[in-house]
């Protein structure tokens, strides 16, 4: 009950912010929330389950393109299109993870890099289906139950996505499955000796987090009402990795902090030093890794002025 | 110590190994090994370096598949099953070099050992249903009990990085017990322990056997092993050269011969763990 109230309060506050912002800040706010949702699920994959995968943005893209294609080209009703999009993400995730997790973790990194590159090629060469390099534009979200979800109301949808992602992952992380994932990350041999099916645990963690990325992608598709290949490239996949590392991998609050800091940093730095903000970004990244491998949340946990 | 050899609680042996063989290329590490182990019995497996102890251990733990022969657990063939499937059938183990889950509390380490009993439908976890929450609360209480059993109750919320090597060994024991074992395999449990810690571990292993759990230990420390084992199997060059009571093993000419020239001799008859 208490946690439900907390969730309701968070949803109310985050939604209220959406109603106060002008169009420019609404756009920043929505994208920040989407980055947070992605960082949360990537944190579970990379930080908790210890899988180095570069396909998270690919699944974001699969979700986004799938819902647009299914709604506009196949003419499916929205709920059906959303379900089909999730199923597609899970199937694709299984197709990647089942062969890759049988091998060393290094091969998952390679396989997912290949998948990410292939996806961009597919988007660019997809003809009518994907709209090629220009992507898909000029579509809009169908009304849901007679309600037009636009403006601040669509921001509420994004808030619900973030809260759902947080609650789902927090519950899983604190369950037997979260412990199994951490055990597999730390010591697969000892995990197996505890009765944990290592390959199965890895595949489930990969499919689950990829499906969450796909879900976030579906929500993203109706933020700008346009989807195009550059958004789903490797650059953003690496940025996501940095967000999780800087915030403190394995920590949900760390992912929120990491995503917030790294997404907002260019907005703060660009007016001051122009494109040199990338340099500042690189230096900050290096300092964090060298000084505190557990990221900003690790810095907080190790604060010297803490009373013991 | 507890049950005399040959008297399992359910009639037949808990574990039976028949003609167990493992070859690595041209080398036969274990050749046609036979022994059985009853519930509540402590069986020691010893031998000089390279005798095939670890290979035997790993086949029973499921980390190595046998080349030939059978492993029967309560009459069911389990040879060649992977490690996680052996654990699910009640064969749990500890590691010679502690394999704890870093960055987890002691309690979470022990709760990880309850994986098989706790694993349920993930949708129930996501939905936060009552049954999942009750099971989690019960598991937490059980983990605290097990930590108290091995004497680590006060440290239950600490990170495992704070433990000494000996405490780590005790935590591994509690974690193996968490899996509701029928059989526990100890891989050189006395290695690296101070005498007082050895004594504590001996006491714990005896209490485990008293709960009708089978215990198989491979060990270099003969004094420790002879003080705790009900029966001993001696391996040399992959073959069983002796089996029997600890007192008889120490006087067996074949055993003495196998150990001659080895750095660890057989202690004098009657030598028990200090």
């Amino acid at each position: 009950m208490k946690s439900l109230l907390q969730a309701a309060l968070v949803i109310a506050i985050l939604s209220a912010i959406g109603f106060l912002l002008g169009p420019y800040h609404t756009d920043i706010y929505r994208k920040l929330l989407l980055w947070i949702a992605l960082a949360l699920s990537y944190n579970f994959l990379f930080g908790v389950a210890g899988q180095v995968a570069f396909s998270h943005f690919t699944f974001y893209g699969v979700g986004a393109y799938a819902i647009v294609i299914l709604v506009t080209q196949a003419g499916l009703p929205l709920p059906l299109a959303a379900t089909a999009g999730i199923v597609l993400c899970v199937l694709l995730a299984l197709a990647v993870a089942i062969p890759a997790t049988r091998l060393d973790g290094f091969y998952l990194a390679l396989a997912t890099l290949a998948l990410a590159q292939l996806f961009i090629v597919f988007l660019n060469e997809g003809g009518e289906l994907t709209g090629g390099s220009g992507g898909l534009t000029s579509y809009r979200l169908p009304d849901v139950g007679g309600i037009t979800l636009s403006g601040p109301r669509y921001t509420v949808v994004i808030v619900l996505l973030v809260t759902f992602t947080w609650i789902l992952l927090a519950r899983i992380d604190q369950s037997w499955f979260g412990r199994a994932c951490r055990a597999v990350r730390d010591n697969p041999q000892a995990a197996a000796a505890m009765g944990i099916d290592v390959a199965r645990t890895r595949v489930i963690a990969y499919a689950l987090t990829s499906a969450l990325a796909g879900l976030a992608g579906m929500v993203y598709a109706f933020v700008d009402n346009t989807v195009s290949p550059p958004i789903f490239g490797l650059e953003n996949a690496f940025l996501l990795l940095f967000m999780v590392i800087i915030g403190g991998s394995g920590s949900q609050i760390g992912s929120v902090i990491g995503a917030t800091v790294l997404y907002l940093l260019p907005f703060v730095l660009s007016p001051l030093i122009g494109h040199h903000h990338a340099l500042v970004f690189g230096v900050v990244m290096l300092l964090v890794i060298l000084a505190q491998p557990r990221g900003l949340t690790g810095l907080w946990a190790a604060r010297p002025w803490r009373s013991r | 110590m507890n049950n005399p050899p040959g008297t399992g609680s359910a009639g037949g042996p808990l574990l039976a190994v028949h003609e167990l063989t493992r070859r690595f290329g041209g080398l036969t590490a274990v050749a046609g090994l036979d022994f059985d182990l009853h519930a509540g019995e402590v069986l020691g497996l010893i031998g000089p370096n390279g005798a095939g102890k670890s290979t035997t251990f790993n086949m029973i733990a499921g980390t190595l598949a046998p080349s030939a022969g059978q492993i029967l657990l309560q009459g069911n063939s389990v040879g060649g099953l992977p490690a996680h499937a052996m654990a699910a059938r009640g064969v749990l183990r500890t590691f010679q070099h502690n394999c704890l889950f870093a960055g987890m509390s002691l309690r979470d380490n022990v709760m990880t050992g309850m994986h098989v009993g706790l694993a349920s439908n993930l949708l129930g976890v996501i939905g936060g249903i009552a049954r999942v929450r009750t099971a989690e609360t019960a598991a937490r209480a059980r983990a605290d009990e097990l930590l108290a059993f091995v004497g680590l109750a006060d440290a239950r919320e600490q990170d495992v990085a704070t433990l000494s090597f000996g405490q780590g060994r005790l935590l591994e024991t509690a974690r193996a017990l968490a899996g509701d074992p029928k059989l526990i395999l100890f891989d050189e449990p006395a290695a690296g322990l101070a005498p007082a810690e050895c004594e504590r571990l001996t006491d714990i292993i005896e209490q485990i056997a008293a709960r009708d759990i089978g215990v198989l230990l491979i060990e270099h420390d003969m004094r420790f092993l002879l003080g705790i084992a009900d029966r001993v199997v001696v391996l040399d060059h992959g073959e069983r050269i002796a089996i029997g009571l600890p007192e008889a093993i120490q006087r067996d000419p074949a055993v003495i011969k196998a150990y001659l020239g080895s750095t660890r001799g057989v202690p004098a008859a009657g030598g028990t763990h200090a």
Side-chain angles (χ1 to χ4, degrees):
Chain A
M1 252 332 21
K2 199 177 136 226
S3 59
L4 273 182
L5 279 175
Q6 280 173 346
L9 193 66
V10 169
I11 291 170
I13 292 171
L14 291 178
S15 302
I17 294 172
F19 281 90
L20 298 175
L21 299 174
Y24 173 70
H25 287 110
T26 292
D27 186 55
I28 294 177
Y29 184 55
R30 286 172 166 182
K31 283 172 186 160
L32 170 63
L33 289 173
L34 285 165
W35 273 108
I36 290 174
L38 280 176
L40 282 170
S41 51
Y42 192 63
N43 171 61
F44 193 88
L45 180 63
F46 171 77
V48 176
Q51 296 181 38
V52 185
F54 298 101
S55 52
H56 215 59
F57 248 88
T58 305
F59 285 97
Y60 190 60
V62 170
Y65 270 86
I67 194 123
V68 174
I69 291 169
L70 291 171
V71 168
T72 61
Q73 298 179 17
L76 290 185
L78 195 62
L80 198 59
T83 311
I86 292 290
V87 170
L88 181 67
C89 284
V90 170
L91 291 179
L92 185 61
L94 293 179
V96 174
I98 289 175
T101 49
R102 295 176 71 91
L103 301 163
D104 189 73
F106 177 65
Y107 293 94
L108 182 71
L110 285 185
T112 53
L113 269 177
L115 177 73
Q117 295 293 59
L118 267 175
F119 182 62
I120 298 303
V121 172
F122 172 73
L123 292 185
N124 279 316
E125 307 296 325
E128 298 267 297
L129 187 70
T130 64
S133 55
L136 299 167
T137 51
S138 316
Y139 58 85
R140 54 180 291 280
L141 182 68
D143 289 358
V144 179
I147 303 167
T148 308
L149 292 172
S150 61
R153 272 180 281 182
Y154 197 68
T155 307
V156 175
V157 172
I158 305 174
V159 168
L160 289 174
L161 168 82
V162 174
T163 332
F164 171 77
T165 306
W166 173 288
I167 293 174
L168 184 147
L169 291 172
R171 280 184 174 166
I172 287 188
D173 191 15
Q174 285 152 29
S175 75
W176 58 270
F177 187 73
R179 284 190 297 270
C181 285
R182 287 169 191 269
V184 167
R185 175 198 66 191
D186 287 348
N187 195 326
Q189 195 198 3
M194 301 297 106
I196 295 166
D197 187 333
V198 172
R200 191 182 143 95
T201 303
R202 283 185 176 144
V203 169
I204 293 174
Y206 184 78
L208 177 85
T209 53
S210 297
L212 284 174
L215 184 67
M218 292 184 199
V219 175
Y220 166 75
F222 301 101
V223 166
D224 290 337
N225 285 331
T226 171
V227 285
S228 58
I231 303 162
F232 307 109
L234 275 176
E235 203 169 315
N236 279 336
F238 281 106
L239 183 56
L240 192 58
L241 177 68
F242 295 151
M243 285 174 173
V244 169
I245 292 175
I246 284 196
S249 90
S251 153
Q252 292 205 174
I253 191 72
S255 309
V256 175
I257 295 169
T260 308
V261 169
L262 286 197
Y263 178 67
L264 295 182
L265 201 63
F267 291 98
V268 178
L269 289 179
S270 285
L272 300 175
I273 52 174
H275 279 299
H276 295 301
H277 69 76
L279 192 69
V280 175
F281 171 83
V283 171
V284 168
M285 184 69 204
L286 264 178
L287 284 179
V288 168
I289 291 175
L290 289 176
Q292 180 48 264
R294 283 163 63 208
L296 294 173
T297 48
L299 214 57
W300 174 251
R303 60 196 182 279
W305 62 89
R306 176 168 61 165
S307 56
R308 295 185 60 87
Chain B
M1 303 220 167
N2 302 296
N3 291 347
T7 60
S9 57
L14 174 65
L15 175 78
V17 166
H18 289 310
E19 295 287 317
L20 191 64
T21 301
R22 171 72 202 199
R23 285 180 288 269
F24 294 102
L27 176 84
T28 303
V30 175
L33 182 62
D34 277 286
F35 67 84
D36 53 21
L37 191 164
H38 292 83
E41 183 184 21
V42 180
L43 185 75
L45 193 57
I46 60 167
N49 280 331
K53 301 187 297 292
S54 291
T55 305
T56 305
F57 186 96
N58 287 332
M59 284 190 281
I60 299 170
T63 46
L64 261 186
S67 306
Q70 276 191 306
I71 301 170
L72 300 170
L73 187 71
Q74 293 179 315
N76 301 310
S77 177
V78 293
L81 287 180
H84 66 85
M86 291 304 290
R89 282 162 177 76
V91 179
L92 278 295
R93 66 170 293 182
T94 69
F95 291 86
Q96 184 185 348
H97 309 286
N98 294 348
C99 281
L100 297 166
F101 302 121
M104 276 195 207
S105 68
L106 271 67
R107 183 194 275 144
D108 278 350
N109 263 274
V110 176
M111 287 175 79
T112 305
M114 299 177 190
H115 179 83
V116 174
L118 280 178
S120 59
N121 194 325
L122 265 185
L123 290 178
V125 173
I126 294 167
I129 62 170
R131 189 165 47 79
V132 171
R133 278 181 286 137
T134 318
E136 191 77 3
T137 313
R140 188 177 301 264
R142 170 103 179 103
D144 289 353
E145 269 175 43
L146 288 168
L147 285 168
F149 173 65
V150 298
L152 290 172
D154 292 342
R156 61 181 179 255
E157 314 229 324
Q158 287 175 22
D159 191 284
V160 291
T162 61
L163 295 184
S164 71
F165 185 81
Q167 288 172 318
R169 179 64 43 77
L170 294 174
L171 179 58
E172 281 219 345
T173 308
R175 192 178 63 180
L177 282 171
D180 222 351
K182 295 180 180 115
L183 173 64
I184 296 196
L185 313 173
F186 284 95
D187 191 354
E188 304 216 8
L193 295 193
E197 292 172 327
C198 263
E199 218 167 314
R200 175 101 192 92
L201 191 65
T202 304
D203 189 43
I204 286 172
I205 291 175
E206 280 172 358
Q207 288 184 56
I208 291 171
R211 295 178 182 187
D212 239 16
I213 295 168
V215 176
L216 178 70
L217 7 116
I218 66 172
E219 187 53 73
H220 258 117
D221 185 336
M222 294 275 267
R223 287 164 71 83
F224 173 81
L225 184 85
L226 296 174
I228 192 173
D230 295 314
R231 278 189 309 150
V232 177
V233 174
V234 188
L235 293 184
D236 192 24
H237 295 110
E239 288 178 29
R240 192 185 85 190
I241 58 168
I243 182 167
L245 300 173
E247 302 80 43
I249 290 296
Q250 293 172 82
R251 291 189 295 269
D252 193 304
V255 176
I256 293 167
K257 183 163 172 283
Y259 267 85
L260 271 182
S262 127
T263 51
R264 294 167 192 264
V266 180
T272 53
H273 177 70

